[in-house]
Amino acid sequence: MPANTTASSGQQPATSGRKNGRKKGRRARLFVIVLALAIVVGVGYGAYWSISTVRSSFPQTKGSIKLDGLAGPVDVKRDGNGIPQIYASSDEDLFMAQGYVQAQDRFWEMDVRRHTTSGRLSEMFGKSQVKTDEFLRTLGWQRVAQEEYDSKLSSDTKKYLQAYAKGVNAYLAGKDAADISVEYAALGFTNDYAPQEWSPVDSVAWLKAMAWDLRGNMQDEIDRSLLTSRLGPSQIEDLYPEYPYDRNKPIVQEGAYDSVTKSYEPQGATGTQSGDGTTGDGLTGATDAAAGFQSQLAGLSDALDAIPSVFGPSGNGIGSNSWVVSGAHTITGKPLLANDPHLAPQLPSLWYQMGLHCRDVTDSCQYDVSGFTFSGMPGVIIGHNQDITWGMTNLGADVTDLYLEKFTGNGYQFDGKVLPFKTRKEVIKVAGGSSKTITVRETNNGPLLSDRDSELVKVGKKAGVTSVAPDRGDGYGVALRWTALDPGRSMDAVFEINRAKNWTEFRKAATHFEVPSQNLTYADVEGNIGYQAPGKIPTRAKGHDGSLPAPGWDAKYQWTGFIDQSELPYEYNPKRGYIVTANQAVVDKDKYPYTLTTDWGYGARSQRITDLIESKLKGGGKISTEDMRQMQTDNSSEIAELLTPKLLKIDVSDPHVREAQKLLEGWNYTQTSDSAAAAYFNAVWRNILKLAFGNKLPKELRVEGQCLSVEPADNTGPADEDRRVRECGERAADSAQPDGGDRWYEIVRKILNDENNDWWKAPATRTDPETKTRDQLFARAMEDARWELTAKLGKDIDTWSWGRLHRLTLKNQTLGTEGPGFLKYALNRGPWNLGGGEAAVDATGWNAAGGYQVIWVPSMRMVVNLADLDKSKWINLTGASGHAYNAHYTDQTDKWVNGELLDWSYTEKAVDGTTQDTLVLQP
């Protein structure tokens, strides 16, 4: 692939190990860009030039354009929101036009994405991204994508990918960088950057980035190990409670799985202790492992944080809602399907709305599909065609394992032998600097992540292992086994789902959707509804459940295979008449022989959706499209309903705290933007978590820069004030713990009625006495919350509101992520005051350890009406355009904030009725 050589400042992933020198260099480059952008947007003497520059990058949406490579004319019809509907007479023309139109609106975004997936961010953004590129090159997303393209994908899929790339390159042809996007115009003041041509593999690699953010429980695997430095086995078990199957229903309740019998033996349980004091992964208990994992896996956590996150911070709150209701329970008599993926807020939105229509559906032109696409990839990811509709939520399958590796000379030990590393050289080109060459080493378990970070060199030096482990010498390395590093056919699945006509074809297509593993909801115009769990999900030997790093030298800890697609759970037309997926457990653990994961979401959202559906169906009620929309915006707080009665019983003497406590009287637990009660409760919840749990966690899990006076980790004697040390947190605020998600709901629920539980104990401070009971800790949290909100919102509680705390700022994901204020002003938008909250159906997520700001959102919302597809509804977080001063940059955001949905035209008659601009692409 041709290499770009550019120097600028760009996306700076949050890490806990940034150096002052790195920041100074970044600020210097940003300063240059600020000056350039000031000219671009018309500040000072550049006003005339700036207007022409900005407008020159806007897409042509009327008239006609000749494109070499088209077989026939293509119509691009845009509605009042700039959403395009494309009409063509062949598949190749359809996808070529898709590439052209997406590049018109979003090429800067596409260009940055491909530099991310290929580990080439340094070529755009300089030496600050070298560490990130090293990690990405070690993972090898682009290399695996190339293997998929060369040897796995069908000839039709390759043909579509080539057509798409041809369309993108037709848009780029003859254009200067400044004609493509205003960001390029800014870059032009500091270097001679010129975008290179698009390739089919650039599109395939994007699925690897999608898979990375939805990879499962790797962070939980790391966190459980880090916790051993301060907590014992029973305490860690408290923090990872069993999924509440009796209360929060799994997805599949009446379903099936083919070819599986009860003769299969369930795999081991999470982190259980065996008789010899070892965990199920062959690692010793907390005492031996404490010092080791504290320093070792912290480095890996930092490295993971450095990877640019496509979908946002990981955690139990991240996921999506999707549910489908059969026609027996709808006012139309046909199914309704809703979906709203919860992803990081980005500008432009990750999603791009689009319709792809063959004028006549034939063997040579097979598509009539509309929905949400990814810029840079052909096809529709979530949406509907003329026969079916589908939604997606993250299944959360455990498809990654970390392995300790014992090095010997130039190889590693496995099953009593020394095997050679598989190696490759990677050259990282750096804008404004010298290139850097790295060597990537792989074992039979995958690439060595420990080669990529100075902290990771220490991995395994003190890791607890059993007595049969090989001598550690200078330590063990850490390798990653991940299904996405095996070439697969997920790109085939996108097109197969887009043209599926019924349940049988849909399920067949799902067998190729290997990575990432998603919950697929389904409905069709014939009235059927269904659910399918696809994905390439590993099987492990009994006693190894993937919850902790495993010894790579022992063959019995290798993956034993993969669950056959025919054996994955599904459900079709259940008697209850609806299916809900919101990242909860897929199937009851006692009713399915395989372990899909040990780290589900805990079902707060899914059960709330189920309750809302059941309440609507009582007495023979029917559900409408509007009912589905209202369910999507439900902001009820489960943890508030659980804790508020306890909080109201506490005798509060301070009149100011009592004044705040009264806000909770009569509150219905809804989290509207204007609610003072929601603001106060969430502040109380945050302080309960901090006092009961957060201050007791190791520094690697606490927020970077937040410092405490603590007992040394190696102190095994009685508390000694003289031995306390100052210890500061090291994790990014949006991924620290306790994050307040529904795992923490379950943790607190289990100890709530144990008023003297040890977790309720908190040491005295200069201003607060020691707490020994639940109510003492709650009282202290209520007081702390009162004064926290006084500082943030003012003394007068009549002015308090949840939205003033809980705000959304949309940031351009490159030049707008950080830097001087003017740069942010030019490219970013907001803030907006939001309702909703953590683990609510309206999942405007926030991290309780880090603050109240919104860190993930329902990135789009849709409700598909199978009785009349033209009466379906949709909304995007931002708008169709990636151009900062285009009318469609954020034209959907206000409606999104208010919970509104746009009309979603599908048939040609309906599309013509809403079309405002038509562009004809001519051969």
Side-chain angles (χ1 to χ4, degrees):
M1 178 178 296
N4 296 344
T5 56
T6 177
S8 81
S9 176
Q11 182 178 9
Q12 304 294 337
T15 69
S16 58
R18 292 174 176 154
K19 305 300 183 184
N20 289 334
R22 185 181 299 175
K23 288 184 177 179
K24 289 177 181 177
R26 201 161 54 218
R27 289 169 182 162
R29 290 189 298 276
L30 282 168
F31 179 71
V32 174
I33 291 176
V34 169
L35 295 180
L37 201 57
I39 298 173
V40 171
V41 298
V43 176
Y45 64 83
Y48 174 79
W49 177 86
S50 70
I51 292 171
S52 63
T53 300
V54 171
R55 288 180 177 173
S56 71
S57 67
F58 288 1
Q60 178 181 339
T61 59
K62 297 181 179 180
S64 65
I65 299 174
K66 288 189 176 181
L67 297 186
D68 290 339
L70 283 178
V74 177
D75 297 327
V76 181
K77 303 177 181 181
R78 293 179 184 260
D79 66 11
N81 292 101
I83 300 170
Q85 305 283 338
I86 299 176
Y87 290 84
S89 298
S90 72
D91 291 336
E92 290 93 329
D93 281 0
L94 191 65
F95 293 118
M96 182 177 176
Q98 183 181 16
Y100 185 90
V101 171
Q102 288 190 339
Q104 280 187 304
D105 280 332
R106 299 283 192 94
F107 186 76
W108 168 262
E109 173 194 8
M110 292 164 59
D111 201 12
V112 173
R113 283 183 180 178
R114 67 166 162 178
H115 279 77
T116 300
T117 57
S118 59
R120 295 167 50 217
L121 287 167
S122 300
E123 296 177 18
M124 293 189 78
F125 304 126
K127 64 181 181 180
S128 66
Q129 298 303 305
V130 169
K131 280 291 193 183
T132 300
D133 282 347
E134 288 180 12
F135 201 94
L136 290 164
R137 294 287 186 93
T138 300
L139 291 174
W141 293 348
Q142 191 83 2
R143 179 181 56 83
V144 178
Q146 185 71 57
E147 291 182 38
E148 290 183 355
Y149 182 79
D150 291 341
S151 62
K152 289 288 186 178
L153 300 181
S154 71
S155 58
D156 281 347
T157 294
K158 290 182 181 181
K159 184 170 59 178
Y160 302 153
L161 289 164
Q162 292 162 2
Y164 181 90
K166 188 189 299 183
V168 175
N169 294 329
Y171 169 74
L172 296 177
K175 288 185 173 63
D176 293 332
D179 296 329
I180 297 172
S181 181
V182 69
E183 289 92 339
Y184 290 119
L187 293 183
F189 281 85
T190 58
N191 57 71
D192 296 324
Y193 177 83
Q196 301 297 305
E197 285 195 343
W198 194 263
S199 80
V201 177
D202 291 335
S203 296
V204 179
W206 180 236
L207 284 174
K208 300 303 171 186
M210 179 181 174
W212 176 254
D213 278 7
L214 303 175
R215 63 192 178 273
N217 74 335
M218 187 191 296
Q219 192 63 59
D220 286 315
E221 190 173 338
I222 294 168
D223 286 356
R224 272 189 287 264
S225 298
L226 290 170
L227 287 169
T228 60
S229 67
R230 287 205 170 272
L231 303 179
S234 63
Q235 293 171 308
I236 295 173
E237 186 177 352
D238 287 345
L239 301 186
Y240 289 90
E242 285 283 328
Y243 183 89
Y245 291 97
D246 57 334
R247 188 176 67 255
N248 295 343
K249 301 297 183 186
I251 296 171
V252 174
Q253 300 171 43
E254 306 168 34
Y257 29 89
D258 299 337
S259 307
V260 180
T261 68
K262 284 295 182 178
S263 63
Y264 284 87
E265 193 169 6
Q267 298 167 67
T270 306
T272 53
Q273 293 289 316
S274 62
D276 61 359
T278 63
T279 66
D281 281 294
L283 303 176
T284 58
T287 301
D288 292 335
F293 280 120
Q294 180 181 4
S295 62
Q296 301 141 13
L297 291 177
L300 177 55
S301 184
D302 291 346
L304 298 181
D305 277 345
I307 302 298
S309 183
V310 177
F311 296 147
S314 61
N316 283 309
I318 287 292
S320 308
N321 301 321
S322 185
W323 66 96
V324 59
V325 181
S326 75
H329 298 310
T330 68
I331 62 173
T332 67
K334 293 288 186 179
L336 295 170
L337 185 146
N339 197 186
D340 55 284
H342 307 155
L343 310 175
Q346 298 184 16
L347 182 59
S349 166
L350 183 75
W351 300 107
Y352 184 89
Q353 294 150 291
M354 181 176 258
L356 301 172
H357 308 279
C358 288
R359 293 189 178 96
D360 296 300
V361 177
T362 64
D363 290 342
S364 61
C365 199
Q366 306 173 73
Y367 297 89
D368 189 8
V369 60
S370 183
F372 293 87
T373 72
F374 287 147
S375 300
M377 265 184 57
V380 170
I381 304 301
I382 295 173
H384 69 81
N385 61 27
Q386 68 272 37
D387 297 304
I388 75 166
T389 182
W390 67 96
M392 294 186 188
T393 65
N394 190 22
L395 192 153
D398 183 1
V399 294
T400 61
D401 275 342
L402 297 174
Y403 283 90
L404 299 177
E405 302 285 6
K406 171 57 181 174
F407 300 159
T408 301
N410 292 321
Y412 61 97
Q413 291 188 18
F414 178 73
D415 207 17
K417 301 176 182 178
V418 177
L419 304 181
F421 295 112
K422 181 180 179 181
T423 63
R424 68 178 189 274
K425 299 287 187 182
E426 295 278 353
V427 179
I428 298 172
K429 296 183 179 181
V430 183
S434 301
S435 297
K436 181 177 182 179
T437 300
I438 63 171
T439 300
V440 176
R441 300 189 296 174
E442 296 185 8
T443 72
N444 57 357
N445 291 312
L448 283 165
L449 303 187
S450 50
D451 284 351
R452 297 281 74 89
D453 189 279
S454 58
E455 285 295 315
L456 288 179
V457 174
K458 304 174 184 177
V459 170
K461 281 190 174 181
K462 299 179 182 177
V465 292
T466 61
S467 59
V468 298
D471 179 78
R472 72 179 70 248
D474 292 332
Y476 304 126
V478 174
L480 171 66
R481 182 79 170 96
W482 179 32
T483 56
L485 299 184
D486 300 332
R489 296 185 59 187
S490 294
M491 198 72 236
D492 283 344
V494 171
F495 297 111
E496 291 169 355
I497 290 174
N498 281 194
R499 61 177 183 259
K501 297 181 182 301
N502 51 51
W503 173 246
T504 300
E505 292 183 8
F506 179 77
R507 283 195 76 201
K508 183 179 179 181
T511 64
H512 295 147
F513 205 96
E514 297 171 345
V515 178
S517 184
Q518 298 287 285
N519 296 308
L520 298 178
T521 50
Y522 168 93
D524 61 39
V525 294
E526 298 299 322
N528 302 300
I529 66 172
Y531 162 84
Q532 177 66 56
K536 188 174 184 180
I537 303 173
T539 56
R540 300 171 174 89
K542 185 178 181 181
H544 171 38
D545 65 2
S547 62
L548 287 170
W553 52 82
D554 191 336
K556 72 180 181 183
Y557 291 98
Q558 296 284 293
W559 289 355
T560 58
F562 301 94
I563 303 175
D564 190 271
Q565 292 292 309
S566 67
E567 297 175 342
L568 288 169
Y570 70 90
E571 194 163 63
Y572 187 59
N573 290 332
K575 293 179 181 178
R576 65 185 181 280
Y578 62 85
I579 302 169
V580 176
T581 76
N583 316 111
Q584 79 271 39
V586 170
V587 64
D588 194 307
K589 65 177 181 178
D590 296 327
K591 297 180 180 178
Y592 188 65
Y594 296 115
T595 298
L596 299 176
T597 184
T598 58
D599 293 295
W600 303 112
Y602 280 76
R605 284 181 287 110
S606 62
Q607 193 57 44
R608 175 62 179 171
I609 295 166
T610 297
D611 292 344
L612 290 170
I613 293 172
E614 290 285 357
S615 66
K616 193 69 182 178
L617 298 183
K618 281 184 178 178
K622 302 286 186 178
I623 292 175
S624 67
T625 300
E626 174 62 14
D627 292 329
M628 300 284 272
R629 184 199 68 80
Q630 289 183 10
M631 291 177 193
Q632 287 180 323
T633 57
D634 180 83
N635 54 37
S636 177
S637 170
E638 178 184 309
I639 193 63
E641 185 174 4
L642 182 68
L643 296 187
T644 298
K646 307 287 187 185
L647 298 174
L648 287 173
K649 291 180 180 179
I650 294 174
D651 185 16
V652 175
S653 58
D654 187 313
H656 297 290
V657 181
R658 172 61 184 143
E659 181 184 33
Q661 184 187 35
K662 285 183 178 180
L663 291 172
L664 303 179
E665 294 177 358
W667 179 44
N668 64 355
Y669 317 123
T670 57
Q671 301 171 96
T672 56
S673 174
D674 60 358
S675 172
Y680 181 60
F681 173 80
N682 283 317
V684 174
W685 170 235
R686 179 174 185 242
N687 280 278
I688 288 173
L689 290 171
K690 177 182 177 182
L691 292 169
F693 307 101
N695 291 349
K696 299 164 187 175
L697 300 181
K699 63 181 183 295
E700 293 86 358
L701 274 70
R702 300 201 314 270
V703 174
E704 180 181 4
Q706 291 185 2
C707 303
L708 298 171
S709 176
V710 299
E711 289 280 345
D714 60 356
N715 183 26
T716 58
D720 184 349
E721 187 66 31
D722 293 336
R723 293 196 65 212
R724 297 179 74 86
V725 296
R726 183 172 173 81
E727 186 181 84
C728 299
E730 297 179 351
R731 185 164 290 184
D734 60 7
S735 58
Q737 293 293 337
D739 62 19
D742 61 0
R743 174 165 68 92
W744 294 95
Y745 292 10
E746 199 63 22
I747 292 165
V748 169
R749 185 192 304 274
K750 286 186 175 298
I751 66 170
L752 185 60
N753 294 322
D754 182 2
E755 299 185 30
N756 298 305
N757 191 283
D758 284 346
W759 287 111
W760 303 129
K761 297 177 181 178
T765 67
R766 288 179 297 176
T767 57
D768 295 296
E770 176 186 14
T771 69
K772 296 182 179 180
T773 68
R774 179 199 68 197
D775 286 354
Q776 288 175 353
L777 185 139
F778 280 13
R780 184 164 154 184
M782 291 170 70
E783 181 178 2
D784 290 350
R786 180 16 161 156
W787 300 119
E788 180 188 359
L789 295 197
T790 297
K792 293 180 183 296
L793 303 179
K795 185 176 180 180
D796 184 0
I797 66 172
D798 290 335
T799 67
W800 290 3
S801 70
W802 175 224
R804 286 181 61 200
L805 281 177
H806 191 53
R807 309 186 89 184
L808 169 67
T809 299
L810 293 174
K811 297 181 179 181
N812 181 289
Q813 288 301 292
T814 52
L815 302 183
T817 54
E818 61 178 270
F822 179 80
L823 189 64
K824 295 179 179 180
Y825 175 80
L827 295 176
N828 299 343
R829 298 293 182 267
W832 286 268
N833 296 347
L834 297 189
E838 178 67 34
V841 179
D842 185 13
T844 55
W846 56 286
N847 184 301
Y852 304 98
Q853 65 273 16
V854 177
I855 59 174
W856 62 76
V857 294
S859 56
M860 64 81 160
R861 298 185 182 102
M862 75 174 196
V863 179
V864 179
N865 183 336
L866 274 302
D868 185 345
L869 291 168
D870 288 328
K871 291 183 179 179
S872 301
K873 303 283 186 177
W874 62 354
I875 196 78
N876 205 349
L877 174 64
T878 60
S881 181
H883 299 285
Y885 300 97
N886 188 278
H888 305 305
Y889 192 47
T890 56
D891 59 335
Q892 298 185 48
T893 305
D894 285 342
K895 288 182 171 60
W896 177 92
V897 169
N898 293 326
E900 300 174 34
L901 298 175
L902 300 174
D903 291 335
W904 181 355
S905 299
Y906 173 67
T907 65
E908 189 167 11
K909 179 179 180 181
V911 168
D912 287 343
T914 59
T915 296
Q916 292 196 4
D917 294 342
T918 300
L919 173 69
V920 180
L921 303 178
Q922 298 278 10

